[in-house]
Amino acid sequence: MSRITDRRPVLGRVDRRRLRDGALAALVPVAACGVALAGLTTWVGTGRAGGPAHIEVAGGRVLLPSAGVPETAAFFDITNDGGSPDTLVRVTARGVSGEVTLSRHRMRQQNTAYRSEIGSVPVAAGARLAMAPSGIDLTVPTPSRGWRPGELVSFTLEFRRGGPVRAVAVVVRPGAVSFE
């Protein structure tokens, strides 16, 4: 029986050691979670924690098309003041008989330009997208009755997360407005 009592203190020491080692092992993930929670709390407190995209569209311009030309270009300034990115996925225009397409201006090695149709345009959180003839623009079919300078054209820009945003563009003569 003396053997059983001799082993008891050894088992007691082993249990305290295991308890201490287990507590230290648990302390590391608890501390990491605390640091992560403090960081997330700071992020939320500053208003940057995945707030929704807040899209504003302004500065709409449609270039007056030349006689007999079936399409022209339109440009908008798009601002995302929200905390999440969004994507322009589709554009429609009232009074045109055809599809408005998103386009990007491209250059060939021979210094010739062409447009390439694109499916969508990302707008980063806190960023501004200024459409221009040398970058992203909209290709708009010309209505059969034509447009006059100063006429207003209604557009609906559809964003993946933000939904539709209505905007108006004024018809301007090419060269009458700066895109810088």
Side-chain angles (χ1 to χ4, degrees):
M1 262 208 203
S2 63
R3 286 184 162 179
I4 294 175
T5 57
D6 289 343
R7 289 187 180 187
R8 254 191 169 162
V10 172
L11 290 175
R13 275 188 244 132
V14 171
D15 285 345
R16 276 188 233 133
R17 188 178 308 149
R18 283 184 181 174
L19 182 62
R20 186 188 65 197
D21 291 346
L24 287 175
L27 183 63
V28 172
V30 169
C33 288
V35 170
L37 182 60
L40 288 172
T41 301
T42 304
W43 189 37
V44 169
T46 60
R48 302 195 187 281
H54 180 256
I55 301 292
E56 291 185 15
V57 180
R61 297 153 303 220
V62 177
L63 296 182
L64 182 67
S66 300
V69 176
E71 57 190 26
T72 188
F75 311 92
F76 289 95
D77 294 325
I78 302 171
T79 305
N80 181 357
D81 291 332
S84 296
D86 209 341
T87 305
L88 176 61
V89 292
R90 183 172 174 227
V91 180
T92 57
R94 181 176 291 164
V96 299
S97 61
E99 188 176 338
V100 177
T101 58
L102 296 165
S103 309
R104 182 181 305 274
H105 178 87
R106 304 272 190 199
M107 293 296 292
R108 291 191 174 107
Q109 288 180 346
Q110 301 85 6
N111 285 335
T112 58
Y114 69 100
R115 72 174 177 91
S116 109
E117 190 174 319
I118 54 178
S120 63
V121 178
V123 184
R128 178 175 175 260
L129 169 68
M131 294 182 175
S134 61
I136 295 172
D137 65 7
L138 303 174
T139 302
V140 183
T142 309
S144 57
R145 63 170 181 74
W147 283 316
R148 295 183 314 272
E151 190 172 346
L152 299 178
V153 181
S154 295
F155 286 83
T156 301
L157 290 80
E158 294 182 34
F159 293 86
R160 185 167 287 138
R161 292 190 176 117
V165 176
R166 296 189 195 326
V168 176
V170 64
V171 177
V172 296
R173 293 186 188 278
V177 82
S178 173
F179 289 96
E180 295 180 40

